[in-house]
Amino acid sequence: MTDLTKSPADTVPAGPMVKAEAVHKSYGLVEVLKGIDLEVKQGEVFCLVGPSGSGKSTFLRCINHLEKVNAGRLWVDGELVGYRQKGDKLYELRDREVAMKRRDIGMVFQRFNLFPHMTAIENVIEAPVQVKGESKGDARERAMALLERVGLADKAKNYPSQLSGGQQQRVAIARALAMKPKLMLFDEPTSALDPELVGDVLDVMRGLAEEGMTMIVVTHEMGFAREVGDALVFMDGGVVVESGNPREVLTNPQHERTRAFLSKVL
Amino acid sequence: MNSLHKGPAAPGRPDVIKAVPVRHPGRWVGAAVILLLTAMLIHAIVTVPAFKWDLVGHYLFDDRILHGLVVTLELTALAMVMGVVGGILLAVMRLSPNPLLSGTAWVYIWVFRGTPVLVQLVFWNFLGVLWAKLSIGIPFGPAFWSEQTNVLIPTFVAALLGLGLNEAAYMAEIVRGGIQSVDEGQLEASQALGMNRFDAMRRIILPQAMRVIIPPTGNETISMLKTTSLVSVIALEELFRAGQNIYSRNFQSIPLLIVVSLWYLFLTSILTVGQYYIERHYARGSNRSLPPTPLQRLGGLFRGIKSAPAAKPANAGGHGGGGEGGGAA
């Protein structure tokens, strides 16, 4: 119909790491995302905040196709997520093609989801060896460097159950980084942690941001958003209510709902 | 007592509690009753001449019985290998998003779990009657190679097919339960790292499902050991059939059935002990304190009667031992 659907390839010229246009997602009759439009620039730390049930985690999971979008379009680095477009027709991607695209997108979960039957270092080398076919030696060397970077080189041989929540989450970040992603998704990475362990995880994330990693962070840590974030979106009820520079939105929210939410969180 | 009150001043801990433990007079009475009943039963069994204990002793290590024993063990082991491999395959198929695979697995399980294993055994044995020859060739066209069914499927293979294919259907449900017990986040994490379904299953999901799968598999093995006696209906000389063959000639059925039963009991006992330790091994990590081993429990029984607190160190020792093994897995 429009120019966009008729564009020759499934790419958008130059620019944003993630672009969403009217993204809808529903589970049965419940519509969780009611048209999300946003743009995440390269190298940006993009914070998604909002009350629980507002759809921010669902949107994050759409980006690496853990959830299927029902309507609208979503691009990562100029490539359509989950589909291939020819003319004005969409073709579903095969599982292997989806898996291929996920390689470049790291994800960190609220509940860590480390593999409990593997040691910390085995967790980190698993995907590079199994998915990318790297040699075990190379993968191990890089994994040690990554664990060093998140401050856990001495825990390399520990099983997840022998690590604290904060340590597990840092291993999980190292595991995602081992795939050399161009984009990192964080789904409430500190929500399941004891308060005194949150700082270590945020420090690692801050370091990543300084190195120019593009990050989308669903979080309740307003301090982190204010300090590290380049952009912030406030979501509620499956729509974007307000967006802008985090320092501005957090200190001077324009919308009533944003104000009500922030007054409870801050 | 004073030291209890003045905490900081006291150099040591308060005295270890020395309380009179709870007495269990009921246990002593119960034990006496059970002993009496056992004595009566043993007396009855030993004094009735029909049991012919001398014959039991004579046939216990008879060559034919021992040969049957070997066949029983072979059948059990091979059928369980077929069952476990087939079960994993079927379970993964059943959970596959591919409707062709999951449908096929569903029908297989439906048929093989829905008909008696005895009937299946007889079917495999009579396959030669239904189709005299089995061939490989173009469907509905000429055959390149063919062979007599009875040559391809001798009695032992028929027995193995009957038991193994049936077991696979049961194991499939056990494996499926195990796979479904693994947290969904594990599959998501694997997928987010770019793994395909097959790799995620092989490297991440199945190894974790094992802790749930292995204990019931031990149970199935014990069950299989006894189920092999059904094979006697297709005249394969395993343990039970060996006993039958002997008493069909000398009519000493009771002593021979006792011989056979003693062997089954002996083998299942060994498997039960093995299963106990396997379950204990897989409980580590999920149970905070491991259950005591039978030996520790035996010790605890008597210590429990005399002084309750003494039973505690036995438990603590078992826990420490399990924790040590934790790093190896």
Side-chain angles (χ1 to χ4, degrees):
Chain A
M1 299 176 277
T2 60
D3 268 320
L4 211 128
T5 44
K6 276 195 182 141
S7 70
D10 41 343
T11 53
V12 173
M17 180 59 85
V18 175
K19 184 173 160 69
E21 272 184 8
V23 168
H24 284 72
K25 169 73 193 173
S26 44
Y27 298 102
L29 294 173
V30 186
E31 197 163 48
V32 183
L33 299 179
K34 300 169 183 167
I36 304 287
D37 295 272
L38 53 79
E39 247 187 61
V40 180
K41 298 190 188 74
Q42 308 261 4
E44 200 170 47
V45 175
F46 191 96
C47 298
L48 278 171
V49 301
S52 60
S54 59
K56 52 199 192 312
S57 284
T58 305
F59 178 70
L60 198 71
R61 294 158 58 84
C62 286
I63 295 173
N64 64 356
H65 208 51
L66 281 178
E67 304 285 352
K68 254 185 196 168
V69 171
N70 297 121
R73 298 282 190 276
L74 192 54
W75 292 267
V76 172
D77 205 12
E79 285 181 36
L80 202 56
V81 173
Y83 304 93
R84 183 183 302 113
Q85 186 163 353
K86 277 185 186 158
D88 49 7
K89 257 192 185 164
L90 284 186
Y91 297 85
E92 267 186 27
L93 292 184
R94 297 175 168 282
D95 282 348
R96 286 187 189 273
E97 295 170 299
V98 173
M100 195 67 130
K101 294 197 172 180
R102 285 193 185 122
R103 289 180 183 192
D104 301 333
I105 306 172
M107 184 156 189
V108 174
F109 298 86
Q110 182 179 356
R111 302 279 332 153
F112 328 135
N113 293 348
L114 287 182
F115 307 133
H117 58 301
M118 297 180 179
T119 59
I121 193 157
E122 284 168 351
N123 263 281
V124 180
I125 65 172
E126 178 66 15
V129 171
Q130 294 296 325
V131 177
K132 282 188 170 169
E134 273 183 37
S135 81
K136 271 208 171 142
D138 290 356
R140 196 166 282 273
E141 214 166 283
R142 280 203 311 115
M144 268 323 283
L146 283 168
L147 286 175
E148 187 104 41
R149 175 175 171 182
V150 299
L152 291 171
D154 55 328
K155 303 284 184 192
K157 294 214 167 88
N158 286 42
Y159 284 88
S161 61
Q162 298 163 328
L163 301 174
S164 74
Q167 291 170 336
Q168 288 190 52
Q169 193 61 298
R170 284 185 279 154
V171 174
I173 294 174
R175 178 176 72 173
L177 290 176
M179 292 298 281
K180 298 178 183 157
K182 58 188 175 193
L183 168 66
M184 285 284 283
L185 309 176
F186 291 85
D187 188 2
E188 303 200 24
T190 57
S191 297
L193 299 180
D194 289 342
E196 82 266 26
L197 303 176
V198 169
D200 292 338
V201 173
L202 291 182
D203 284 344
V204 171
M205 291 168 65
R206 199 171 287 126
L208 266 180
E210 278 162 15
E211 286 170 28
M213 172 68 76
T214 313
M215 296 159 65
I216 303 180
V217 186
V218 172
T219 187
H220 293 299
E221 296 291 331
M222 297 306 159
F224 176 83
R226 195 195 312 256
E227 185 200 334
V228 185
D230 299 306
L232 180 139
V233 154
F234 174 73
M235 279 177 71
D236 192 17
V239 294
V240 172
V241 176
E242 192 166 345
S243 62
N245 182 299
R247 283 159 289 277
E248 280 160 26
V249 176
L250 291 177
T251 39
N252 187 20
Q254 298 301 305
H255 207 283
E256 183 54 42
R257 267 193 288 176
T258 319
R259 237 170 281 156
F261 173 76
L262 290 177
S263 72
K264 283 178 203 150
V265 185
L266 288 178
Chain B
M1 284 300 141
N2 269 342
S3 62
L4 244 169
H5 268 284
K6 279 244 111 324
R13 307 182 309 156
D15 291 343
V16 173
I17 294 174
K18 284 184 195 131
V20 178
V22 177
R23 304 290 178 189
H24 301 282
R27 284 189 193 173
W28 290 103
V29 177
V33 171
I34 288 169
L35 263 178
L36 182 71
L37 289 174
T38 312
M40 285 167 69
L41 186 67
I42 290 175
H43 175 79
I45 289 173
V46 172
T47 51
V48 169
F51 280 104
K52 298 195 182 139
W53 288 99
D54 51 327
L55 278 180
V56 171
H58 179 258
Y59 281 112
L60 196 56
F61 296 102
D62 188 280
D63 277 349
R64 286 163 290 180
I65 294 286
L66 291 182
H67 178 258
L69 188 70
V70 171
V71 174
T72 288
L73 286 174
E74 283 172 356
L75 264 184
T76 307
L78 291 173
M80 279 314 292
V81 168
M82 270 178 78
V84 169
V85 173
I88 291 176
L89 208 68
L90 283 167
V92 171
M93 282 169 69
R94 184 98 162 73
L95 293 171
S96 156
N98 180 339
L100 205 65
L101 291 180
S102 69
T104 308
W106 187 88
V107 170
Y108 180 97
I109 294 167
W110 178 62
V111 170
F112 281 85
R113 222 167 46 137
T115 55
V117 65
L118 187 58
V119 174
Q120 290 173 31
L121 280 167
V122 175
F123 251 105
W124 285 110
N125 195 41
F126 287 156
L127 212 63
V129 179
L130 299 171
W131 298 284
K133 282 183 168 186
L134 296 180
S135 332
I136 297 176
I138 297 165
F140 304 106
F144 307 133
W145 176 90
S146 78
E147 180 60 275
Q148 296 283 329
T149 304
N150 287 339
V151 175
L152 270 183
I153 306 182
T155 316
F156 185 84
V157 176
L160 196 56
L161 284 171
L163 294 173
L165 295 181
N166 180 262
E167 184 60 28
Y170 280 93
M171 282 304 302
E173 293 297 281
I174 290 174
V175 174
R176 187 164 70 105
I179 290 174
Q180 285 176 331
S181 76
V182 176
D183 180 32
E184 230 175 306
Q186 293 291 311
L187 182 63
E188 278 177 7
S190 328
Q191 287 179 329
L193 285 166
M195 291 177 134
N196 57 43
R197 259 188 69 85
F198 180 78
D199 280 341
M201 196 55 93
R202 185 177 61 92
R203 298 282 308 170
I204 309 299
I205 310 294
L206 275 177
Q208 292 181 60
M210 279 305 160
R211 92 170 29 219
V212 176
I213 294 171
I214 286 192
T217 304
N219 230 6
E220 289 292 306
T221 310
I222 289 171
S223 176
M224 175 61 78
L225 182 81
K226 293 168 297 166
T227 308
T228 54
S229 62
L230 289 181
V231 165
S232 60
V233 298
I234 58 173
L236 181 66
E237 198 160 319
E238 41 64 67
L239 182 55
F240 180 60
R241 181 77 184 196
Q244 273 187 322
N245 282 349
I246 296 173
Y247 73 65
S248 66
R249 263 169 258 148
N250 66 7
F251 304 109
Q252 302 293 349
S253 44
I254 295 293
L256 278 153
L257 286 176
I258 291 176
V259 166
V260 168
S261 299
L262 285 175
W263 275 116
Y264 280 121
L265 205 54
F266 173 70
L267 293 175
T268 49
S269 305
I270 290 177
L271 289 177
T272 307
V273 171
Q275 189 195 5
Y276 184 89
Y277 281 95
I278 289 173
E279 271 181 32
R280 208 164 171 277
H281 176 81
Y282 277 89
R284 103 200 113 72
S286 59
N287 289 11
R288 199 170 273 271
S289 65
L290 287 170
T293 63
L295 279 177
Q296 288 166 348
R297 200 175 296 215
L298 200 65
L301 178 70
F302 292 106
R303 261 173 279 165
I305 293 167
K306 286 189 181 122
S307 67
K312 282 276 179 260
N315 276 353
H319 179 57
E324 210 172 275

